[in-house]
Amino acid sequence: MSAVAASVIAVAGTLLGSFSTYWFQQKAARRSESVKRQERVRQDQLAACSEFAAAVSDLRRSVIAVWFRKKRKDRQPADDEAIADYHMAYSEADRLGAVAETAKFRMLLVINDPSLCELADAAFRHVGAVPPARDKVEVEKLDAEFEAHMTVFVATAARLLA
């Protein structure tokens, strides 16, 4: 009788050990998968923020180029090369505007944060302030303001992704 009881206890212990090992392995696998998923999401968010910052910076550079080419075109209205340069720069700025807007939408899809949305909108407002600028000094001032704004954007994004 004691041999049967010992066998039952041994089988029960083996089953309990197997079950607990299975349970802990499943728990560890779920935790590992969760950590991997969170890291993938974080990497996507980081990439989206970086792409937006790069795209809006390229747009700003292009809009400033349009401003200078427009001034040149206005000074030399009969210069076909100045007119062609202006139109080419304008087309490039338009293309980069679409790229920046696409990057903004992607960023907002992967990061649902109102402060980042407001900072992205403000970056576009900073870029939009360049075309009506009166002179080069004003363009340089607006450029410095844009740089300061993008520093705030990057700091905010870094804080969200930390």
Side-chain angles (χ1 to χ4, degrees):
M1 182 74 174
S2 67
V4 172
S7 295
V8 168
I9 291 173
V11 169
T14 302
L15 289 175
L16 185 61
S18 295
F19 176 75
S20 64
T21 300
Y22 171 79
W23 185 75
F24 283 118
Q25 285 177 344
Q26 287 299 315
K27 188 175 179 180
R30 280 193 298 271
R31 185 173 45 245
S32 174
E33 196 58 37
S34 175
V35 167
K36 286 179 186 175
R37 182 184 178 288
Q38 288 173 346
E39 183 56 26
R40 270 194 316 272
V41 168
R42 185 183 156 302
Q43 290 298 321
D44 285 347
Q45 291 172 334
L46 180 62
C49 286
S50 298
E51 289 168 14
F52 172 74
V56 78
S57 294
D58 286 346
L59 173 61
R60 180 229 22 204
R61 178 194 47 76
S62 184
V63 167
I64 290 172
V66 169
W67 185 89
F68 279 106
R69 285 177 174 82
K70 182 176 183 331
K71 294 299 178 189
R72 178 179 166 218
K73 178 182 76 85
D74 291 349
R75 282 192 312 270
Q76 304 167 350
D79 185 354
D80 290 339
E81 186 180 333
I83 293 169
D85 281 351
Y86 168 74
H87 287 295
M88 196 173 354
Y90 190 88
S91 293
E92 178 66 2
D94 188 44
R95 185 188 72 76
L96 290 172
V99 169
E101 198 160 11
T102 300
K104 174 189 162 193
F105 293 147
R106 181 178 183 278
M107 179 185 68
L108 295 178
L109 284 172
V110 296
I111 301 175
N112 185 17
D113 184 75
S115 64
L116 211 56
C117 180
E118 178 54 39
L119 288 169
D121 289 340
F124 278 106
R125 285 193 298 273
H126 280 284
V127 171
V130 172
R134 293 180 306 280
D135 56 20
K136 184 179 175 186
V137 172
E138 187 175 355
V139 170
E140 289 170 349
K141 177 183 172 240
L142 291 168
D143 192 36
E145 289 173 1
F146 174 82
E147 288 294 331
H149 175 76
M150 289 309 291
T151 299
V152 171
F153 172 85
V154 169
T156 301
R159 191 174 58 251
L160 287 172
L161 299 175

